[in-house]
Amino acid sequence: MTTTVPKTPPAAPGGPGDSGGLQAGLKNRHLSMIAIGGVIGAGLFVGSGSGIAAAGPGILVSYALVGVLVVLVMRMLGEMAAANPTSGSFSAYADRALGRWAGFTIGWLYWFFWVVVLAVEATAGAKILAGWIPAVPQWGWALIVMIVLTATNLVSVSSYGEFEFWFAGIKVVAIAAFIALGGLAIFGLLPGSDHPASGFSNLTAHGGFLPNGPGAILTGVLMVVFSFMGSEIVTLAAGETADPRAAVTKATNSVIWRIAVFYLGSILIVVSLLRWDDPAILKDGSYVAALSSIGIPHAAQIMNTIVLTSVLSCLNSGLYTASRMAFSLGRRGDAPAAFGQTTARGVPRAAILASVVFGFVAVAFNYLWPDTVFQFLLNSSGAIALFVWLVICFSQLRMRKVIERESPEKLVVRMWLYPYLTWTTIALITFVLGYMLTDTADGGGRDQVVLSTAVAIAVVVFAVVRGRVSGRTEARETADTAPGGAPLS
């Protein structure tokens, strides 16, 4: 008896790592800002207040723990991406390391995650714009924002890169200015400010560094972990640069200081300027409250402008990321073939339009059924970020051996203490997922893990069944065309 091995769809032309129709339209300055902006989401500005209220100054430990987790995952992803840059990134690596079912599953789950994010961010941006110009209804602003950014992505990858360069630049300048002004105010050195020179006394003066106990650190972890999602975008974008390997290496090596400065640095300023239980942190938002405390006029409108920029940046990158993942799935035969085709300008038009259509549908759900259908979409995509990180870890365990065997010279980025730190990271992510199951609030961690797992299992089952059907079809085709055999009429 002979066994026929199912054929793997051909890689993009040019061999592994080639973008297959995509063009090198991103410049080094674009990728640098994409790398920096990827770790500064709107969640940092909007969601940090809840974390501070829950964990007190100890939220710094929560951010540090998640930051370490992201650094380790990015190091693993950087190792694989530097050796084999591709538009499918971790989905393509999972395909090779774990099997077709893994690449198919994580690719489609990641696409699903980002198209839901499109709806969330479009609605958030529309709320701000409607507050400024109420003559246009909120749904109208959501439509306008989605159309403009879709058009930008359809023009060329350089258009996306240029928009993201300026969006991310504004975020970087804003956080740098916030840290500088806040640092001066903490020590009473800010001209014109009547904020008391409290130094870092607020970190311990109001019930201690952990006023709600050590367990609040884990609660804080659950609140902040998803604000880090997006750091992996740079490995997808690197495939559209002139020197993907150098771009990935640089971005991976800089992730530590980016997280340390933008997350830990800015949150340290907030909890040093204000007592952690200040009602303004929840009422106005942590950054608005901090700016108001040092006498910055129009702090709320300044932050609204920065948050809007972050929202547009996230929308821009979300559409780009979803379309490139759909493009990669199309190239590998795991999505309609049209998704893997590009225009003369190297733009995967069908992949972009398919992603934005689902985004438009999700926006409509958000307005029509926010507490039912859209809440289900949110919950069923909530834990996917952690699933992606787990797949990256397991893929790296296998891919490291493959790279060492086939092309060791490509190991220009190496995971530290392999394989021990990889297994430690897997254990940490699994622990976070398990701890989420203790969060029984409506729409909380348990709902997200259960629904996300259910969706993931459904996609895995579909992938396995599809693979077996495809394998049997290819086996029949092989038998029908074998030498000496008569083809069926």
Side-chain angles (χ1 to χ4, degrees):
M1 184 177 73
T2 59
T3 302
T4 302
V5 179
K7 299 176 184 176
T8 300
D18 184 72
S19 297
L22 300 177
Q23 295 182 358
L26 294 177
K27 301 176 182 177
N28 286 336
R29 65 182 179 89
H30 292 154
L31 203 71
S32 296
M33 278 301 179
I34 291 170
I36 294 173
V39 296
I40 310 174
L44 174 62
F45 300 110
V46 178
S48 55
S50 299
I52 293 171
I59 194 66
L60 286 167
V61 180
S62 302
Y63 272 103
L65 287 174
V66 180
V68 168
L69 197 61
V70 172
V71 167
L72 294 175
V73 171
M74 281 298 295
R75 188 73 184 183
M76 287 180 254
L77 183 54
E79 177 182 288
M80 295 184 289
N84 183 19
T86 176
S87 60
S89 188
F90 50 84
S91 173
Y93 309 140
D95 197 311
R96 184 177 184 189
L98 306 177
R100 290 290 307 285
W101 66 270
F104 178 96
T105 301
I106 206 63
W108 278 113
L109 288 178
Y110 191 69
W111 178 86
F112 173 60
F113 172 86
W114 279 109
V115 292
V116 172
V117 167
L118 289 181
V120 175
E121 300 296 340
T123 304
K127 286 181 179 178
I128 296 174
L129 290 166
W132 290 344
I133 309 176
V136 179
Q138 188 175 316
W139 66 265
W141 279 119
L143 185 65
I144 291 170
V145 166
M146 290 283 280
I147 289 174
V148 169
L149 292 181
T150 300
T152 300
N153 276 264
L154 284 173
V155 172
S156 67
V157 68
S158 60
S159 299
Y160 156 74
E162 201 63 33
F163 266 70
E164 191 58 23
F165 175 81
W166 292 106
F167 286 157
I170 292 172
K171 291 190 290 186
V172 169
V173 170
I175 290 187
F178 176 80
I179 292 174
L181 293 173
L184 291 173
I186 287 171
F187 298 103
L189 301 176
L190 183 64
S193 174
D194 57 359
H195 190 279
S198 55
F200 297 107
S201 62
N202 278 332
L203 296 179
T204 56
H206 307 286
F209 186 71
L210 296 172
N212 295 326
I217 292 175
L218 293 176
T219 303
V221 165
L222 299 188
M223 291 182 167
V224 307
V225 65
F226 300 108
S227 66
F228 283 82
M229 192 64 172
S231 52
E232 70 289 333
I233 292 175
V234 67
T235 61
L236 281 84
E240 294 179 76
T241 61
D243 190 352
R245 187 163 288 115
V248 167
T249 303
K250 182 179 178 181
T252 302
N253 290 336
S254 65
V255 70
I256 297 176
W257 72 260
R258 287 187 273 126
I259 289 175
V261 171
F262 296 121
Y263 276 88
L264 293 179
S266 62
I267 295 298
L268 175 62
I269 294 297
V270 172
V271 293
S272 297
L273 285 174
L274 302 167
R275 49 183 298 163
W276 69 272
D277 55 355
D278 190 322
I281 291 179
L282 280 177
K283 179 184 177 183
D284 303 326
S286 53
Y287 288 79
V288 171
L291 288 174
S292 298
S293 73
I294 60 178
I296 301 297
H298 310 295
Q301 291 306 317
I302 291 173
M303 282 310 302
N304 270 340
T305 303
I306 296 170
V307 169
L308 178 62
T309 302
S310 296
V311 164
L312 295 177
S313 171
C314 190
L315 263 172
N316 196 37
S317 290
L319 181 53
Y320 171 85
T321 305
S323 65
R324 268 35 178 201
M325 186 57 72
F327 168 82
S328 177
L329 289 166
R331 298 291 292 186
R332 287 180 275 142
D334 290 336
F339 286 10
Q341 298 172 359
T342 59
T343 65
R345 300 175 68 91
V347 174
R349 180 186 296 159
I352 291 174
L353 292 176
S355 301
V356 81
V357 163
F358 194 95
F360 275 122
V361 171
V363 169
F365 287 158
N366 198 3
Y367 286 107
L368 297 173
W369 302 289
D371 300 322
T372 53
V373 178
F374 189 70
Q375 188 62 43
F376 171 80
L377 291 178
L378 283 179
N379 290 339
S380 58
S381 64
I384 287 176
L386 293 171
F387 294 167
V388 168
W389 293 351
L390 270 179
V391 167
I392 290 172
C393 294
F394 283 111
S395 297
Q396 189 264 341
L397 284 173
R398 299 286 298 274
M399 285 297 293
R400 174 65 169 265
K401 296 176 183 178
V402 173
I403 298 170
E404 286 179 333
R405 181 177 67 250
E406 296 182 357
S407 48
E409 73 281 358
K410 292 183 178 180
L411 274 174
V412 293
V413 176
R414 290 175 178 266
M415 176 60 184
W416 307 295
L417 298 178
Y418 168 83
Y420 307 108
L421 265 184
T422 301
W423 281 111
T424 301
T425 306
I426 290 171
L428 287 173
I429 296 171
T430 304
F431 174 78
V432 171
L433 284 168
Y435 190 76
M436 286 177 70
L437 292 174
T438 67
D439 181 9
T440 58
D442 186 31
R446 176 177 293 180
D447 288 347
Q448 293 180 26
V449 171
V450 171
L451 288 175
S452 295
T453 301
V455 171
I457 290 174
V459 178
V460 169
V461 170
F462 180 83
V464 171
V465 172
R466 176 180 176 274
R468 289 181 177 178
V469 171
S470 176
R472 287 196 293 267
T473 301
E474 290 175 354
R476 285 197 299 268
E477 291 174 351
T478 301
D480 292 342
T481 57
L488 294 174
S489 58

